[in-house]
Amino acid sequence: MLALVVFLSACGATGEVSANSTGIWDRYIVWNFARAIKALSFGNAGIGIILFTLIVRIILMPLMHFQTKSMRKTQELQPKIKALQAQYSAKDMETQQKLKEETQKLYAEHNVNPYAGCLPLLVQMPILMALWQAIQRVPELSQGHFLWLNLGEKDPYLILPILAAIFTFASTYLSSMSQVESNASLKIMNFAMPLMILMMGLGLASGLSLYWVVSNAFQVVQTLLINNPFKIRKEREEALRQEKARERALERAMNPKKKKRKK
């Protein structure tokens, strides 16, 4: 998602945006985002960036909650999906068609849409791109000052890039903790994403780095609130304990004589 935002932003217009700009994107979206940030600045563009980023993330929370629930349901089905893949492991067309049908049936039985988790991203993309470009292309925002920062220049002490990388790692790591099964690609992503954020931050204007620090820090808090991996792990352990208890009770009920001999 981050890579796509950066790519699309880089491919888009880079000229200055003002009240005299033309075009729906520049005049009515990017410019109004910039106006909102300036209205929240209270004389300091850095404060405006922080407050506006928080407001945007709060507005997007219902979508993120929906996405998280959908992804969690999909994750919970992974062991059953792998069992189906093992059962229908042959590569002939008939077997693969049967695997597809059984997988779709499994999703339908558990009311899971594997693509639903991607839909909120489509809504977020224009918002994130507009916010990114407002910070980058409006002089009052790109040339402002906040604490030790000149928002239009790189952080001279590299504090923001490092913080952004730390919060990104915390977010991806917490999210991976809630996975039913870990995998190598996920572990690589836990380190690749923070490293990418750090390398990008070294060359970004500090106004954009400030946005990523606030956004990623909010993501950490949001994950702990609506997708707490510690709570999820505890719930799974409790469900597993109850399942084992039921199996033991069923075994004792089916083998009463064996139980008496033990006594």
Side-chain angles (χ1 to χ4, degrees):
M1 179 179 176
L2 170 63
L4 186 57
V5 171
V6 175
F7 175 75
L8 291 176
S9 298
C11 291
T14 57
E16 181 179 313
V17 173
S18 68
N20 298 321
S21 296
T22 58
I24 295 176
W25 177 255
D26 286 355
R27 176 66 181 85
Y28 296 103
I29 299 178
V30 176
W31 173 242
N32 283 321
F33 268 50
R35 290 176 62 191
I37 294 174
K38 288 190 286 186
L40 294 167
S41 294
F42 301 103
N44 190 296
I47 293 175
I49 292 173
I50 292 172
L51 293 179
F52 188 75
T53 303
L54 291 175
I55 291 172
V56 168
R57 293 308 302 251
I58 290 171
I59 292 174
L60 291 177
M61 276 192 72
L63 280 175
M64 295 302 298
H65 184 51
F66 169 79
Q67 178 188 21
T68 299
K69 287 175 62 178
S70 178
M71 292 178 66
R72 183 178 173 185
K73 286 182 179 180
T74 304
Q75 292 165 9
E76 297 289 350
L77 290 180
Q78 287 307 304
K80 294 183 179 180
I81 292 175
K82 286 190 174 182
L84 286 176
Q85 292 172 342
Q87 182 179 351
Y88 301 99
S89 58
K91 300 301 181 182
D92 60 278
M93 186 178 296
E94 183 179 351
T95 303
Q96 289 301 303
Q97 180 62 31
K98 184 64 175 177
L99 172 60
K100 182 178 179 181
E101 292 174 358
E102 290 297 320
T103 302
Q104 292 176 343
K105 182 179 178 181
L106 180 65
Y107 284 138
E109 288 175 352
H110 291 83
N111 194 28
V112 171
N113 184 341
Y115 305 107
C118 300
L119 294 178
L121 295 179
L122 300 179
V123 178
Q124 293 180 64
M125 289 303 298
I127 296 175
L128 295 177
M129 286 176 60
L131 179 56
W132 181 289
Q133 291 200 8
I135 296 172
Q136 186 181 40
R137 300 174 60 197
V138 176
E140 295 93 331
L141 303 181
S142 64
Q143 298 173 11
H145 295 270
F146 179 66
L147 299 177
W148 70 93
L149 304 167
N150 181 334
L151 297 177
E153 299 178 1
K154 294 181 290 186
D155 181 353
Y157 305 113
L158 306 181
I159 294 175
L160 291 185
I162 293 173
L163 286 177
I166 291 173
F167 286 128
T168 300
F169 174 79
S171 176
T172 55
Y173 182 74
L174 288 172
S175 296
S176 67
M177 286 177 63
S178 63
Q179 298 283 333
V180 177
E181 297 179 356
S182 183
N183 56 70
S185 60
L186 189 62
K187 291 179 179 179
I188 292 174
M189 186 62 66
N190 285 342
F191 294 96
M193 280 293 291
L195 181 60
M196 184 175 70
I197 289 283
L198 176 61
M199 297 306 295
M200 288 173 52
L202 297 178
L204 286 175
S206 57
L208 301 178
S209 295
L210 178 62
Y211 159 70
W212 282 115
V213 168
V214 176
S215 183
N216 292 337
F218 187 94
Q219 181 66 35
V220 171
V221 176
Q222 180 175 282
T223 300
L224 291 173
L225 288 176
I226 67 175
N227 194 35
N228 191 311
F230 303 103
K231 181 180 178 182
I232 292 173
R233 281 187 169 185
K234 187 175 180 180
E235 290 174 351
R236 286 178 182 156
E237 290 172 357
E238 178 62 21
L240 182 61
R241 187 190 65 78
Q242 293 179 1
E243 180 63 26
K244 289 183 177 180
R246 284 194 294 268
E247 290 177 355
R248 288 194 296 267
L250 180 61
E251 184 180 355
R252 286 195 297 267
M254 294 178 65
N255 299 280
K257 293 182 180 180
K258 183 177 180 181
K259 181 179 179 182
K260 289 180 179 179
R261 284 199 300 270
K262 287 184 178 181
K263 290 183 177 181

